[in-house]
């Protein structure tokens, strides 16, 4: 792979495009062609890129342009073409056809996609183009979220993959996770599984607290910066639907049925209630006349919004108290021994998260460190392998998974009982992801 001195960004005015451009121009020192539908939008992307990394020094290295007037010229002089146009084959494939005609041999071309087939998109290129075509799934915002899923396909060259991974890691400061070309790759496949199944259980327990109850049970003491359904509301229910529908249609694993979108989510989507970006979805926040914020949650049964409830669940309070004292194993010991249906649900979902994450080793990723990195760096969730250690080790984790009637992943069944299971501790301190 040749040195990356000039980069073309396609989709430069979007949040991901401008944010990625800021990282590439500042960390990589590259000249960046910023292309959008028109030059004014490209100029807006430059401003957003400068603001994202909080330095004006990159402005002179960024050149605005449009797809119609500048794509072929920019691509022809680029060492990397970074495409971030809309998430659909209908938009990406025509752009790829133009890039394929203009690119020089040896130029890297990559796409930001949360789940489209990289192998299918690569078919626009000749043999050299396919060798140099990748998925580079950055997470938003790129300056703060350092994960990059580097997605390979059958036509790639392992030497190029290694060199690109080292560039993303050592030059751009990404936490690189290598994934195979499978639906939703690693992070979204694991994350949206948990989010969607929590949504299904919210419907099942609509009379006991529904959405708010499930988010309370899977809140920060279970090792995540944001609860699962709050995360779905944050990314947007339309985006959530697109990802889980894609996984449901294109996979047949043990968690297949958990990717069915709950009916109430589809109802909210139909009504334009997509989440935070639309002013309301699973929850909504309003202000009173005196400026006080009030939070409401969607009532699945009535279709109305109710005042967000407060819960008093003893074992959760006890676990949070342990976490505040940095006693993470103590917190998990409380979860393991607590009684009541809320504790049963907590154990089930912790078991599901471990079981499903580790089951993807071999199919989606080559090592558990890749799934661990995807969840830790991409979602700010305690990685599955770290959970195994916090629960007391492989034997204790297996007992929990078996009690939940979920599959025990082979990598966990084969683990040495007295050996530390989590191996990213020097790069990612999982303890910091628990919230008391």
């Amino acid at each position: 792979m040749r040195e990356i001195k000039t980069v073309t960004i396609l989709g430069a005015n979007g949040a991901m495009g401008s944010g990625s451009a800021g990282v590439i121009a500042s960390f990589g020192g590259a000249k960046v062609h910023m292309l959008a539908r028109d030059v004014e939008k490209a100029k807006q992307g430059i401003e957003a890129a400068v603001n994202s990394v909080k330095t004006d020094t990159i402005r002179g290295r960024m050149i605005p342009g449009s797809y119609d007037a500048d794509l072929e010229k920019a691509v022809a002089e680029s060492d990397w073409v970074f495409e971030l146009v809309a998430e659909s084959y209908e938009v990406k494939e025509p752009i790829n056809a133009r890039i394929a005609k203009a690119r020089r041999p040896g130029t890297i071309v990559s796409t930001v996609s949360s789940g489209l087939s990289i192998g299918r998109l690569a078919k626009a290129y000749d043999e050299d183009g396919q060798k140099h075509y990748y998925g580079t799934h950055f997470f938003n915002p790129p300056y703060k979220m350092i994960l990059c899923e580097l997605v390979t396909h059958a036509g790639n060259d392992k030497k190029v993959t290694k060199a690109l991974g080292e560039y993303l890691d050592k030059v751009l400061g990404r936490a690189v996770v290598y994934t195979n070309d499978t639906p939703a790759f690693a992070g979204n496949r694991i994350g949206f599984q948990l989010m969607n199944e929590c949504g299904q259980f919210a419907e099942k327990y609509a009379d006991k607290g529904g959405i708010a109850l499930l988010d309370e049970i899977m809140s920060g003491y279970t090792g995540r910066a944001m609860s699962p359904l709050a995360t779905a509301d944050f990314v947007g229910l339309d985006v959530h639907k697109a990802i889980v529908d894609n996984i449901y249609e294109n996979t047949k694993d043990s968690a297949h049925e958990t990717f069915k979108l709950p009916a109430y989510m589809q109802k909210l989507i139909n009504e334009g209630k997509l989440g935070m970006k639309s002013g309301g979805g699973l929850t909504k926040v309003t202000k009173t006349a005196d400026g006080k914020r009030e939070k409401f949650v969607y009532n699945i049964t009535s279709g109305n919004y109710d005042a967000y409830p407060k819960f008093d669940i003893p074992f959760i309070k006890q676990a949070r108290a342990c976490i505040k004292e940095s006693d993470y194993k103590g917190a998990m010991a409380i979860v393991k021994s607590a009684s009541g249906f809320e504790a049963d649900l907590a154990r089930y979902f912790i078991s599901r998260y471990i079981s499903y994450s580790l089951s993807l080793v071999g199919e989606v990723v080559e090592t558990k460190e890749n799934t661990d990195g995807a969840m830790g760096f991409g979602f700010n969730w305690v990685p599955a392998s770290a959970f195994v250690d916090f629960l007391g080790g492989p034997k204790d984790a297996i007992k929990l998974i078996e009690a939940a009637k979920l599959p025990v992943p082979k990598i966990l069944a084969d683990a040495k009982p007295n050996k530390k299971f989590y191996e990213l501790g020097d790069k990612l301190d999982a303890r910091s992801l628990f919230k008391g």
Side-chain angles (χ1 to χ4, degrees), residues 301-313:
T301 303
S302 70
N304 299 319
Y305 284 90
D306 300 335
Y308 204 95
K310 290 184 178 180
F311 296 93
D312 185 13
I313 302 174

Side-chain angles (χ1 to χ4, degrees), residues 103 125-133 155:
R103 73 176 282 279
Y125 298 87
D126 60 16
E127 184 178 349
D128 179 80
Q130 292 191 30
K131 184 186 297 185
H132 292 85
Y133 189 84

Side-chain angles (χ1 to χ4, degrees), residues 260-277:
K260 276 187 178 178
L261 187 76
Y264 70 90
M265 286 191 183
Q266 185 63 61
K267 181 175 182 287
L268 286 167
I269 292 168
N270 294 344
E271 294 172 355
K273 297 171 182 174
L274 305 179
M276 292 183 185
K277 63 185 177 184

